[in-house]
Amino acid sequence: MTVLVHQPDVSFVIAAYNAEDTIERAIGSALAQIGVTMEVIVVDDCSTDGTRELVRAYRDERVRLVTREKNGGPAAARNIGFDVAIGRWIAVLDSDDTIHPERLLAMLERAEAAEAQIVVDNIDVVPLDLGEPTTMFSREELRRRPVMTLADFIGSNVIFQSTFNFGYMKPVFERDFLTRHELSFDETLRVGEDYLLLASALACGGRCAVVPDVGYVYHLRHGSISRVLEQSHLDAMLASDRAFLARYTLDAKAMAAQRRRTRSIVEAASFLTLVEEIKKGSVRGFLKTAIENPRALKHLRMPIAVRMRRLLGNGWRQIKSDRLGRGRPPERTKEWI
């Protein structure tokens, strides 16, 4: 049995809910880290499967289980893990993801060299069919960006701008820095809570070093909340961004990036409304939304729109016909594809 004697280098915080199929894989990858000492804190968010029993079965005292009496979502669970963590650094690991054995050693060495309080790295994405992973970011791009600024981070988090953005990164934070600035996850968010914490840490003056190599492995799964965007999520993101701007003063570059991000969230909300109107076959509702925010129409060129047109068939053609009947020239319909 391994016993914790000194303060570990890193505390892994894993928020778990009905994760019996993947939790052992996640914990095992954390315990397999080389060159660093660690603790693994699993916060069970009222699972109804065997997650708690699997974690309790570990005989390694580096693994700690914290149980919640009421389900509060991943942000609330992670905050509890942050509160009880004792490591010099805190790393978030999702219960269905894994990390490479050398990840934390590389990140902490990079943070020390850059005198950074935050460090991020590259990510591999494993598809649903467990085929070959795709690396999120070009290693060359990240090598050209040894330190990430707040403007860089906000500018990357523009909705529908690219398949992946820096908001997917899983930062490792110096615990004392988080405590000193009273930083934690926004528990009102179910999507975007990772983004807000890193943005806040950068706005507080945190220096964020970048490791271009892959250390984190993101496993796609059916029903992942980060892959299903809803209107309520966008409303919460706008509200949290307003609170963020009220709390922090941004420089000109960061503020310009923030304005682009806000526009993208508003456009995304209108796009979701367009999609709902298409599903209902409501030409009037579709046109009303398109007139109010015509920029949202450009997103109908995305692959999701192609699939949607195939499913809707006559309903989509009716919308195009109505649009043409109002005097639009036929070639303009290509903008919808």
Side-chain angles (χ1 to χ4, degrees):
M1 179 180 293
T2 304
V3 179
L4 289 175
V5 177
H6 303 293
Q7 180 186 35
D9 295 317
V10 60
S11 295
F12 289 98
V13 173
I14 303 176
Y17 175 72
N18 289 349
E20 65 179 5
D21 292 338
T22 60
I23 190 65
E24 292 177 295
R25 183 182 66 187
I27 293 173
S29 72
L31 294 176
Q33 295 300 291
I34 59 174
V36 296
T37 57
M38 86 289 293
E39 65 172 348
V40 180
I41 302 167
V42 179
V43 183
D44 184 81
D45 200 17
C46 295
S47 293
T48 57
D49 64 0
T51 299
R52 295 186 187 190
E53 288 68 28
L54 288 172
V55 179
R56 285 196 182 102
Y58 276 87
R59 306 305 299 169
D60 191 326
E61 288 195 4
R62 293 175 297 176
V63 179
R64 303 164 59 191
L65 174 65
V66 179
T67 60
R68 287 178 54 84
E69 295 181 357
K70 181 180 180 181
N71 180 276
R78 290 170 186 161
N79 282 341
I80 290 174
F82 280 27
D83 287 342
V84 302
I86 62 173
R88 292 190 303 111
W89 294 81
I90 295 181
V92 170
L93 174 59
D94 287 349
S95 62
D96 52 356
D97 292 338
T98 56
I99 51 178
H100 291 312
E102 68 284 355
R103 183 192 188 222
L104 263 296
L105 178 61
M107 295 181 85
L108 297 193
E109 287 180 344
R110 177 74 186 98
E112 182 178 358
E115 298 183 343
Q117 298 78 40
I118 314 157
V119 58
V120 295
D121 61 353
N122 214 335
I123 300 174
D124 266 351
V125 182
V126 177
L128 291 170
D129 61 7
L130 302 181
E132 288 297 313
T134 299
T135 301
M136 274 197 183
F137 308 105
S138 162
R139 288 178 173 83
E140 289 305 314
E141 176 192 355
L142 294 187
R143 286 192 182 99
R144 293 192 296 269
R145 195 191 305 271
V147 174
M148 184 186 299
T149 67
L150 179 58
D152 291 336
F153 183 63
I154 296 176
S156 173
N157 282 269
V158 173
I159 296 180
F160 296 149
Q161 177 176 260
S162 58
T163 302
F164 300 118
N165 58 59
F166 294 155
Y168 282 94
M169 288 177 161
K170 294 293 186 178
V172 177
F173 296 97
E174 185 181 55
R175 187 171 60 87
D176 286 348
F177 176 82
L178 294 178
T179 301
R180 187 162 61 251
H181 293 281
E182 300 181 340
L183 295 174
S184 62
F185 288 102
D186 184 337
E187 298 181 12
T188 67
L189 296 178
R190 292 294 179 119
V191 171
E193 70 275 13
D194 297 309
Y195 164 83
L196 185 60
L197 179 59
L198 180 49
S200 299
L202 290 167
C204 285
R207 184 174 175 83
C208 181
V210 178
V211 174
D213 297 321
V214 172
Y216 195 95
V217 182
Y218 177 61
H219 296 261
L220 289 179
R221 59 186 176 85
H222 293 287
S224 172
I225 192 169
S226 62
R227 301 176 66 234
V228 182
L229 196 61
E230 299 177 0
Q231 182 68 50
S232 60
H233 300 151
L234 297 171
D235 292 340
M237 289 164 67
L238 287 172
S240 68
D241 277 12
R242 286 193 293 269
F244 171 76
L245 291 172
R247 181 175 180 181
Y248 301 108
T249 301
L250 278 56
D251 62 27
K253 289 184 178 180
M255 196 64 224
Q258 179 62 51
R259 284 193 289 269
R260 292 194 300 273
R261 170 176 160 82
T262 300
R263 284 196 300 269
S264 78
I265 297 174
V266 173
E267 287 176 17
S270 294
F271 170 71
L272 291 184
T273 301
L274 290 175
V275 170
E276 287 303 313
E277 298 298 343
I278 291 172
K279 289 180 179 178
K280 293 186 296 185
S282 172
V283 176
R284 184 182 300 276
F286 181 94
L287 293 176
K288 179 177 183 294
T289 303
I291 291 170
E292 291 175 350
N293 194 343
R295 290 174 61 90
L297 290 171
K298 67 182 179 181
H299 300 306
L300 292 175
R301 285 181 263 187
M302 298 189 308
I304 187 175
V306 176
R307 293 194 297 271
M308 190 175 300
R309 288 200 296 275
R310 290 173 182 168
L311 290 172
L312 294 173
N314 292 335
W316 182 265
R317 285 192 290 273
Q318 179 184 0
I319 291 172
K320 289 206 295 183
S321 175
D322 184 88
R323 187 170 186 257
L324 293 173
R326 292 174 182 268
R328 298 278 188 173
E331 64 270 17
R332 294 291 289 177
T333 59
K334 294 180 181 179
E335 292 186 359
W336 291 41
I337 298 174

